[in-house]
Amino acid sequence: MQKKSAIPDQEPQCSVDFAFQRIGGKYKGRIIFHLDLGITRYGALRRSIVGVTPKMLTQALRELEADGLITRHVFAEVPPRVEYALSEAGAELIPFIRLLRDWGEKQMEKQGKPSLSKLGLLPHILEEAHEETV
Amino acid sequence: MQKKSAIPDQEPQCSVDFAFQRIGGKYKGRIIFHLDLGITRYGALRRSIVGVTPKMLTQALRELEADGLITRHVFAEVPPRVEYALSEAGAELIPFIRLLRDWGEKQMEKQGKPSLSKLGLLPHILEEAHEETV
DNA sequence: CAATAATAGTTTCTTTTGGGTAGCTAGCTT
DNA sequence: AAGCTAGCTACCCAAAAGAAACTATTATTG
């Protein structure tokens, strides 16, 4: 089976289009965001990204990999360990993702939605990121 | 008929998710980008955003409006004139869209795709943006 | 007078794709 | 024998997107 990227056979019509073809979809933004937070293992991502199913997570990760935004490192261990990391191109999206997150937080507050990062939820997530193999 | 936003009945899981729920989809990024370029009329957008159908353009515009990212101004003229503009919240996305565009251009060049903005295509588009009613 | 053109859409129908569910797997550890 | 990790597969549905035809209003042209 060949590696399949998210990209339809359609040529991007401009650079914005090009970018959205790669980071569009329901989970890719959040995946990049979490990788940046230091959450790198498949299982950790699965637990952090609320609502994602194994199928969709794997699919999104494969596409990001095929598009050169992340790398995948398999450790020959048991039980298996796979770590994902942002590639150089992927890392360059970080400022962008941060802007987006800031914008989102601001808008959520304006709409009276409590911003999650103010509720002590992030610390719990970050804990996981820094857990040693227990 | 009630205004319907793009947003499914699903609560956003984080601010990044929140943002993607609003600017996801095939055309919204490009619409915001073009509005920023000064292309504000329905017909001009339709011609600039390659591949968009009237249905999809209208739908995306309506959703952006319902989500408070753009405004819609109807002029009581014949033939009809409707102009769209970024709202305050929408305008705050501009830095982000620019980052995305820059990233896209850089990646496209690395992949050997000629960057459109280097081919004299943008000038043609911008012309349209500054045309007075002839 | 009738046809045409222009703008900003709408409507209906069809296709495509993305996403969801559920259950299965391999290999080693405890 | 059970459990852990990191998946895979087949099937299904809903949402997104695409195609094509149609609309209202008025000025202009023949």
Side-chain angles (χ1 to χ4, degrees), chain A residues 49-70:
Chain A
I49 299 174
V50 179
V52 77
T53 58
K55 180 192 137 189
M56 291 314 296
L57 180 56
T58 300
Q59 185 179 304
L61 287 168
R62 290 292 136 77
E63 290 176 359
L64 287 168
E65 190 193 359
D67 292 335
L69 302 193
I70 66 173

mmCIF file of all heavy atoms in Angstrom, chain A residues 49-70:
data_model
loop_
_atom_site.group_PDB
_atom_site.id
_atom_site.type_symbol
_atom_site.label_atom_id
_atom_site.label_comp_id
_atom_site.label_asym_id
_atom_site.label_seq_id
_atom_site.Cartn_x
_atom_site.Cartn_y
_atom_site.Cartn_z
ATOM 1 N N ILE A 49 -6.140 14.191 22.850
ATOM 2 C CA ILE A 49 -7.014 14.767 21.840
ATOM 3 C C ILE A 49 -8.401 14.176 22.000
ATOM 4 O O ILE A 49 -8.707 13.108 21.469
ATOM 5 C CB ILE A 49 -6.446 14.521 20.430
ATOM 6 C CG1 ILE A 49 -5.086 15.199 20.322
ATOM 7 C CG2 ILE A 49 -7.395 15.037 19.363
ATOM 8 C CD1 ILE A 49 -4.343 14.922 19.051
ATOM 9 N N VAL A 50 -9.202 14.898 22.741
ATOM 10 C CA VAL A 50 -10.505 14.369 23.141
ATOM 11 C C VAL A 50 -11.369 14.056 21.928
ATOM 12 O O VAL A 50 -11.535 14.881 21.039
ATOM 13 C CB VAL A 50 -11.237 15.385 24.037
ATOM 14 C CG1 VAL A 50 -12.608 14.869 24.435
ATOM 15 C CG2 VAL A 50 -10.386 15.702 25.258
ATOM 16 N N GLY A 51 -11.873 12.852 21.902
ATOM 17 C CA GLY A 51 -12.822 12.485 20.854
ATOM 18 C C GLY A 51 -12.208 11.787 19.654
ATOM 19 O O GLY A 51 -12.935 11.277 18.812
ATOM 20 N N VAL A 52 -10.901 11.781 19.571
ATOM 21 C CA VAL A 52 -10.298 11.144 18.397
ATOM 22 C C VAL A 52 -10.345 9.626 18.554
ATOM 23 O O VAL A 52 -10.207 9.098 19.653
ATOM 24 C CB VAL A 52 -8.836 11.621 18.196
ATOM 25 C CG1 VAL A 52 -7.894 10.948 19.161
ATOM 26 C CG2 VAL A 52 -8.399 11.380 16.754
ATOM 27 N N THR A 53 -10.598 8.949 17.446
ATOM 28 C CA THR A 53 -10.578 7.490 17.480
ATOM 29 C C THR A 53 -9.232 7.026 16.927
ATOM 30 O O THR A 53 -8.577 7.758 16.191
ATOM 31 C CB THR A 53 -11.695 6.912 16.598
ATOM 32 O OG1 THR A 53 -11.516 7.390 15.261
ATOM 33 C CG2 THR A 53 -13.065 7.342 17.095
ATOM 34 N N PRO A 54 -8.835 5.818 17.284
ATOM 35 C CA PRO A 54 -7.543 5.309 16.800
ATOM 36 C C PRO A 54 -7.440 5.408 15.285
ATOM 37 O O PRO A 54 -6.416 5.804 14.744
ATOM 38 C CB PRO A 54 -7.537 3.850 17.238
ATOM 39 C CG PRO A 54 -8.736 3.633 18.070
ATOM 40 C CD PRO A 54 -9.531 4.869 18.155
ATOM 41 N N LYS A 55 -8.501 5.078 14.627
ATOM 42 C CA LYS A 55 -8.469 5.125 13.169
ATOM 43 C C LYS A 55 -8.140 6.516 12.644
ATOM 44 O O LYS A 55 -7.268 6.702 11.804
ATOM 45 C CB LYS A 55 -9.809 4.679 12.583
ATOM 46 C CG LYS A 55 -9.829 4.714 11.073
ATOM 47 C CD LYS A 55 -11.225 4.561 10.527
ATOM 48 C CE LYS A 55 -11.463 5.538 9.395
ATOM 49 N NZ LYS A 55 -12.855 5.574 8.965
ATOM 50 N N MET A 56 -8.861 7.503 13.155
ATOM 51 C CA MET A 56 -8.656 8.852 12.663
ATOM 52 C C MET A 56 -7.299 9.392 13.066
ATOM 53 O O MET A 56 -6.656 10.109 12.310
ATOM 54 C CB MET A 56 -9.769 9.775 13.175
ATOM 55 C CG MET A 56 -11.124 9.493 12.567
ATOM 56 S SD MET A 56 -11.101 9.265 10.787
ATOM 57 C CE MET A 56 -10.560 10.876 10.229
ATOM 58 N N LEU A 57 -6.863 9.029 14.267
ATOM 59 C CA LEU A 57 -5.559 9.501 14.709
ATOM 60 C C LEU A 57 -4.470 8.935 13.804
ATOM 61 O O LEU A 57 -3.618 9.663 13.306
ATOM 62 C CB LEU A 57 -5.313 9.104 16.169
ATOM 63 C CG LEU A 57 -3.972 9.537 16.747
ATOM 64 C CD1 LEU A 57 -3.766 11.038 16.618
ATOM 65 C CD2 LEU A 57 -3.832 9.111 18.199
ATOM 66 N N THR A 58 -4.524 7.637 13.578
ATOM 67 C CA THR A 58 -3.532 7.018 12.709
ATOM 68 C C THR A 58 -3.568 7.646 11.322
ATOM 69 O O THR A 58 -2.532 7.990 10.751
ATOM 70 C CB THR A 58 -3.811 5.504 12.577
ATOM 71 O OG1 THR A 58 -3.752 4.927 13.873
ATOM 72 C CG2 THR A 58 -2.789 4.847 11.680
ATOM 73 N N GLN A 59 -4.753 7.811 10.817
ATOM 74 C CA GLN A 59 -4.886 8.363 9.473
ATOM 75 C C GLN A 59 -4.291 9.765 9.369
ATOM 76 O O GLN A 59 -3.522 10.069 8.455
ATOM 77 C CB GLN A 59 -6.367 8.387 9.103
ATOM 78 C CG GLN A 59 -6.635 8.817 7.681
ATOM 79 C CD GLN A 59 -8.134 8.802 7.378
ATOM 80 O OE1 GLN A 59 -8.797 7.775 7.547
ATOM 81 N NE2 GLN A 59 -8.652 9.937 6.944
ATOM 82 N N ALA A 60 -4.629 10.582 10.349
ATOM 83 C CA ALA A 60 -4.119 11.955 10.328
ATOM 84 C C ALA A 60 -2.597 11.966 10.464
ATOM 85 O O ALA A 60 -1.901 12.701 9.759
ATOM 86 C CB ALA A 60 -4.763 12.767 11.449
ATOM 87 N N LEU A 61 -2.087 11.114 11.333
ATOM 88 C CA LEU A 61 -0.638 11.062 11.529
ATOM 89 C C LEU A 61 0.056 10.618 10.241
ATOM 90 O O LEU A 61 1.078 11.175 9.845
ATOM 91 C CB LEU A 61 -0.296 10.117 12.686
ATOM 92 C CG LEU A 61 -0.626 10.634 14.095
ATOM 93 C CD1 LEU A 61 -0.532 9.515 15.127
ATOM 94 C CD2 LEU A 61 0.293 11.797 14.469
ATOM 95 N N ARG A 62 -0.508 9.632 9.568
ATOM 96 C CA ARG A 62 0.091 9.149 8.333
ATOM 97 C C ARG A 62 0.107 10.220 7.260
ATOM 98 O O ARG A 62 1.056 10.362 6.495
ATOM 99 C CB ARG A 62 -0.680 7.926 7.818
ATOM 100 C CG ARG A 62 -0.503 6.689 8.652
ATOM 101 C CD ARG A 62 0.897 6.119 8.586
ATOM 102 N NE ARG A 62 1.368 5.741 9.928
ATOM 103 C CZ ARG A 62 1.001 4.645 10.578
ATOM 104 N NH1 ARG A 62 0.197 3.782 10.027
ATOM 105 N NH2 ARG A 62 1.468 4.401 11.781
ATOM 106 N N GLU A 63 -0.966 10.963 7.215
ATOM 107 C CA GLU A 63 -1.036 12.010 6.198
ATOM 108 C C GLU A 63 -0.047 13.126 6.500
ATOM 109 O O GLU A 63 0.636 13.622 5.597
ATOM 110 C CB GLU A 63 -2.465 12.566 6.125
ATOM 111 C CG GLU A 63 -3.458 11.569 5.533
ATOM 112 C CD GLU A 63 -4.890 12.086 5.538
ATOM 113 O OE1 GLU A 63 -5.123 13.206 6.020
ATOM 114 O OE2 GLU A 63 -5.779 11.364 5.046
ATOM 115 N N LEU A 64 0.016 13.488 7.764
ATOM 116 C CA LEU A 64 0.977 14.526 8.141
ATOM 117 C C LEU A 64 2.389 14.075 7.814
ATOM 118 O O LEU A 64 3.226 14.869 7.355
ATOM 119 C CB LEU A 64 0.852 14.843 9.637
ATOM 120 C CG LEU A 64 -0.403 15.632 10.043
ATOM 121 C CD1 LEU A 64 -0.575 15.641 11.552
ATOM 122 C CD2 LEU A 64 -0.332 17.055 9.505
ATOM 123 N N GLU A 65 2.620 12.793 8.034
ATOM 124 C CA GLU A 65 3.949 12.254 7.744
ATOM 125 C C GLU A 65 4.219 12.279 6.235
ATOM 126 O O GLU A 65 5.279 12.720 5.791
ATOM 127 C CB GLU A 65 4.059 10.830 8.283
ATOM 128 C CG GLU A 65 5.482 10.288 8.249
ATOM 129 C CD GLU A 65 5.530 8.788 8.476
ATOM 130 O OE1 GLU A 65 4.456 8.180 8.668
ATOM 131 O OE2 GLU A 65 6.635 8.219 8.434
ATOM 132 N N ALA A 66 3.235 11.820 5.483
ATOM 133 C CA ALA A 66 3.409 11.777 4.025
ATOM 134 C C ALA A 66 3.629 13.187 3.464
ATOM 135 O O ALA A 66 4.318 13.371 2.470
ATOM 136 C CB ALA A 66 2.183 11.133 3.381
ATOM 137 N N ASP A 67 3.048 14.163 4.117
ATOM 138 C CA ASP A 67 3.204 15.533 3.652
ATOM 139 C C ASP A 67 4.439 16.211 4.235
ATOM 140 O O ASP A 67 4.673 17.402 4.006
ATOM 141 C CB ASP A 67 1.955 16.342 4.008
ATOM 142 C CG ASP A 67 0.742 15.879 3.205
ATOM 143 O OD1 ASP A 67 0.944 15.326 2.115
ATOM 144 O OD2 ASP A 67 -0.393 16.063 3.670
ATOM 145 N N GLY A 68 5.201 15.437 5.003
ATOM 146 C CA GLY A 68 6.466 15.969 5.501
ATOM 147 C C GLY A 68 6.355 16.935 6.669
ATOM 148 O O GLY A 68 7.276 17.687 6.943
ATOM 149 N N LEU A 69 5.235 16.894 7.378
ATOM 150 C CA LEU A 69 5.092 17.820 8.505
ATOM 151 C C LEU A 69 5.537 17.204 9.830
ATOM 152 O O LEU A 69 5.866 17.916 10.768
ATOM 153 C CB LEU A 69 3.645 18.294 8.630
ATOM 154 C CG LEU A 69 3.078 18.991 7.398
ATOM 155 C CD1 LEU A 69 1.779 19.683 7.740
ATOM 156 C CD2 LEU A 69 4.077 20.004 6.862
ATOM 157 N N ILE A 70 5.510 15.889 9.880
ATOM 158 C CA ILE A 70 5.958 15.223 11.107
ATOM 159 C C ILE A 70 6.826 14.030 10.751
ATOM 160 O O ILE A 70 6.835 13.559 9.612
ATOM 161 C CB ILE A 70 4.776 14.738 11.985
ATOM 162 C CG1 ILE A 70 3.988 13.630 11.275
ATOM 163 C CG2 ILE A 70 3.836 15.887 12.337
ATOM 164 C CD1 ILE A 70 2.916 12.995 12.138
#
